[in-house]
Amino acid sequence: MTQMLILNGLTKHFGSIVAVDDVSMSLKKGEVLGFLGPNGAGKSTTMKMIAGFLEPTAGTAHVCGIDVTEEPMKAKAMLGYLPEGAPAYDDMSVARFLDFIAGIRGLRGKTKSAMVANAVEQAHLGDVLGQRIETLSKGFKRRVGLAQAIVHDPKVLILDEPTDGLDPTQKHHVRSLIQAMSSEKAILISTHILEEIDAVCTRTALIAGGKLLLDTTPDELAARAANHNTVVLSVDSAKSGSLTVALSAVPEIGNVEQTSLDDGTVKLRIMPKGRESVFSTVTDIVHKKKVTVREVYVERGALDQAFREITEKDDAGA
Amino acid sequence: MRNIALIARRELGSYFLSPLAYVFIAIFAAATGAFAFYLGNFFVMGQANLQPFFTYHPWLYLLLAPAIAMRLWAEERKSGTIELLMTLPISTTQAVVGKFLAAWLFCGVALVATMPLWVTVNVLGVPDNGVVFASYLASFLMAGAFLAIGSAISAVTSNQVVAFVVSAAVCFVITVSSLDMVLDAFRGWAPDLIIDSISSISFLNHFMGITRGVIALGDVVFFASMIGLWLFINVVVVDVKKGS
């Protein structure tokens, strides 16, 4: 089976509020899908429906071909789920907590010990095994939540904001853990941290107001940013004036911004019209003018800008 | 069954991880003894039986059972672990029964802690041990019914204090439902059948029935069905309220 997670018209109403509105998508083994969206967009609600905590008002989800509304117990057994905020039984020690979860997950005896040991190693919890969870730092608690979600080596992993509140090192660690597991699983993570999308995701889905707005790759999302394909050049300030004039004359180039820097150079930001690449045009002109370039790069497009543009456009349209 | 046992074991462990367990057992053992000696005139009666000891159990449970049960679900909701629990491959019924059994076993441990009194009575005289055994059974069954009520009510709220107060009030009304203070509220407008039914659910009557040494099937079935009914309500409440 290639499609490990399928959402089929998933909808959730809370009274008159539509929290999730007809969301459909699917996830293959090896894919890490980053679920993006502003707070209150419906990310967590969608994940709770997949995990079987909330019942969908309409539509359903299939985990490894099993319908979560028809056979919730079987579907839950296939899933690993990290709820938002990584709740855990605070009065238990890490070892006892993971042992409890593994037991409920149907593991026994030597297999159980081996699987728990593996999860402990992957989440780097070895040093705190005997500690009560309530005494742990936020980073460790999050890792306990992750260990709990992966202890039975599930085919599908649903992680609700797995790196929220972690310091940069911890974030990096959680991301490498997700990447290391990704080839064997289908993973859905939610986040509002855009760098995370670049760091771990092969795909990204944007949700706002309960609606799925976009399901694409991180590169394509970046291409929607206003600064996509903007060329940035640093040149000697003496040459910058004539170069700017020459560049502005090119029809594909919209605007050229100049910023003087302290070291006697000028930084030019050359923005194309229509976001098409103008890199070769720019280099041709630079060669013709015989300008020495100190630095050059092409901006890929900031994800946060693309994110804002898409969600704000949607707000205006609604 | 295995899931129920795992849930119960975790829950029971959690009682003993907090000071609540030791405080509860100490107070229960001390209070049942003190009530028997002072209010029940255990010595003055000069009889080798535990009647004065058991008489006060319903009133103690009224206070202590809601305290045991209040955390069962309210805490899960408050800390968010209910989302973890309900997304594990277990049914709501398994979770409800597991948690209830933990609380019930815990009360059982507290009851066992009062048994030195039973031994003492046997040293001092010749009590009817059959009656004492029946009374312990009745007390244990009644504790189960109180806990089932408390567990169901704790699933309604995420506030443990609210759960405690409401459970205590509900348990009180049910305990004394054969007394005029409850029945007067219904007399005058409700048909006799309803008044008789309300009167018949009184824990006091069923408890006293067994402690007289007659293990009537009716009384046992009564407590068992009370437990069953309230656990069913508990399952429904958890399913309806878990997401809110």
Side-chain angles (χ1 to χ4, degrees):
Chain A
M1 175 154 349
T2 51
Q3 301 293 358
M4 307 242 276
L5 178 65
I6 301 170
L7 311 191
N8 208 339
L10 215 51
T11 303
K12 182 71 188 177
H13 296 188
F14 292 111
S16 60
I17 300 160
V18 182
V20 176
D21 190 5
D22 196 20
V23 170
S24 298
M25 60 185 179
S26 59
L27 213 60
K28 286 200 220 41
K29 180 169 153 179
E31 281 188 311
V32 181
L33 186 127
F35 218 14
L36 262 183
N39 288 327
K43 303 183 297 270
S44 290
T45 308
T46 306
M47 292 180 142
K48 282 175 187 179
M49 286 192 280
I50 302 169
F53 186 61
L54 293 177
E55 289 201 0
T57 310
T60 187
H62 288 86
V63 178
C64 301
I66 295 157
D67 191 321
V68 298
T69 56
E70 280 170 14
E71 292 179 283
M73 297 266 269
K74 259 175 123 179
K76 284 173 188 176
M78 301 279 186
L79 268 178
Y81 176 51
L82 173 70
E84 193 175 357
Y89 292 109
D90 275 352
D91 53 5
M92 298 176 95
S93 70
V94 174
R96 272 171 174 258
F97 176 68
L98 293 178
D99 184 73
F100 165 69
I101 298 284
I104 293 274
R105 289 287 184 189
L107 304 171
R108 293 170 195 227
K110 276 186 185 159
T111 325
K112 182 165 83 173
S113 329
M115 300 281 271
V116 169
N118 184 37
V120 165
E121 196 193 314
Q122 286 199 288
H124 288 231
L125 289 169
D127 293 338
V128 297
L129 270 183
Q131 273 191 48
R132 275 186 179 216
I133 294 173
E134 63 190 351
T135 66
L136 298 177
S137 68
K138 208 168 176 184
F140 269 116
K141 277 188 188 171
R142 198 55 56 115
R143 272 141 73 179
V144 171
L146 264 172
Q148 161 279 122
I150 61 174
V151 70
H152 55 303
D153 194 21
K155 295 260 192 318
V156 178
L157 254 186
I158 311 281
L159 308 173
D160 201 349
E161 301 194 347
T163 63
D164 187 41
L166 302 187
D167 68 35
T169 318
Q170 293 167 334
K171 275 185 186 161
H172 174 75
H173 182 83
V174 169
R175 286 172 192 158
S176 4
L177 176 59
I178 293 172
Q179 267 170 335
M181 294 185 302
S182 63
S183 61
E184 290 305 310
K185 301 183 195 307
I187 304 177
L188 178 61
I189 68 171
S190 80
T191 181
H192 47 239
I193 309 163
L194 288 136
E195 55 180 78
E196 202 138 290
I197 300 293
D198 267 335
V200 292
C201 299
T202 58
R203 252 171 74 197
T204 173
L206 216 148
I207 185 169
K211 286 199 179 70
L212 191 64
L213 299 179
L214 197 69
D215 181 351
T216 177
T217 63
D219 283 337
E220 278 173 35
L221 177 62
R224 297 192 168 222
N227 66 341
H228 180 60
N229 277 337
T230 293
V231 182
V232 180
L233 282 179
S234 292
V235 295
D236 284 338
S237 52
K239 300 281 182 86
S240 67
S242 63
L243 187 59
T244 307
V245 173
L247 287 168
S248 301
V250 178
E252 291 86 42
I253 293 174
N255 198 9
V256 182
E257 267 178 27
Q258 299 188 50
T259 321
S260 297
L261 301 177
D262 289 343
D263 60 357
T265 61
V266 170
K267 190 177 242 183
L268 301 178
R269 294 189 73 232
I270 303 146
M271 294 172 223
K273 284 180 185 160
R275 296 173 196 176
E276 294 299 317
S277 173
V278 289
F279 185 69
S280 56
T281 321
V282 171
T283 46
D284 283 352
I285 293 171
V286 169
H287 277 297
K288 269 185 215 150
K289 292 264 173 190
K290 300 205 167 58
V291 178
T292 316
V293 176
R294 300 279 187 88
E295 187 189 9
V296 60
Y297 60 88
V298 179
E299 287 183 354
R300 177 176 165 240
L303 284 174
D304 59 347
Q305 205 165 347
F307 175 74
R308 267 203 311 277
E309 279 165 26
I310 295 164
T311 51
E312 278 165 14
K313 207 190 298 166
D314 184 64
D315 281 351
Chain B
M1 268 323 279
R2 190 162 170 272
N3 285 343
I4 292 177
L6 283 165
I7 298 277
R9 202 172 69 190
R10 196 209 74 73
E11 205 67 44
L12 199 59
S14 161
Y15 277 119
F16 286 98
L17 282 172
S18 78
L20 176 79
Y22 307 99
V23 171
F24 179 89
I25 291 173
I27 289 183
F28 185 79
T32 47
F35 281 0
F37 290 121
Y38 291 100
L39 299 176
N41 296 323
F42 179 68
F43 284 133
V44 179
M45 286 197 341
Q47 289 170 5
N49 73 41
L50 284 171
Q51 188 74 37
F53 165 74
F54 286 109
T55 307
Y56 295 97
H57 279 202
W59 310 106
L60 265 176
Y61 284 141
L62 213 48
L63 208 62
L64 295 177
I68 293 291
M70 67 182 184
R71 53 174 291 286
L72 285 178
W73 289 97
E75 193 169 86
E76 295 265 0
R77 289 200 30 208
K78 181 126 199 158
S79 66
T81 45
I82 190 165
E83 190 171 345
L84 180 74
L85 184 67
M86 302 317 283
T87 53
L88 290 170
I90 56 165
S91 68
T92 310
T93 309
Q94 288 171 339
V96 164
V97 173
K99 276 170 172 286
F100 164 76
L101 284 180
W104 203 16
L105 272 172
F106 178 72
C107 264
V109 173
L111 263 183
V112 169
T114 67
M115 282 186 179
L117 200 64
W118 189 2
V119 176
T120 311
V121 171
N122 271 292
V123 172
L124 297 174
V126 191
D128 184 338
N129 282 322
V131 173
V132 176
F133 176 77
S135 302
Y136 265 112
L137 181 74
S139 179
F140 187 58
L141 280 171
M142 188 173 57
F146 276 126
L147 290 170
I149 294 171
S151 178
I153 288 170
S154 118
V156 179
T157 172
S158 58
N159 185 322
Q160 294 196 28
V161 177
V162 171
F164 173 80
V165 173
V166 175
S167 314
V170 171
C171 289
F172 177 73
V173 169
I174 293 180
T175 306
V176 301
S177 72
S178 62
L179 304 184
D180 286 343
M181 62 192 278
V182 171
L183 294 180
D184 280 350
F186 295 92
R187 284 191 183 121
W189 62 271
D192 284 351
L193 180 70
I194 291 189
I195 292 174
D196 287 346
S197 319
I198 292 167
S199 171
S200 71
I201 61 167
S202 165
F203 281 14
L204 226 40
N205 286 359
H206 292 279
F207 177 65
M208 292 307 179
I210 308 180
T211 55
R212 276 191 291 269
V214 188
I215 305 184
L217 188 64
D219 292 331
V220 174
V221 169
F222 168 78
F223 283 120
S225 34
M226 264 298 179
I227 292 171
L229 171 71
W230 283 94
L231 290 185
F232 173 73
I233 293 172
N234 196 344
V235 171
V236 173
V237 172
V238 170
D239 275 338
V240 170
K241 296 275 291 185
K242 65 183 178 187
S244 58

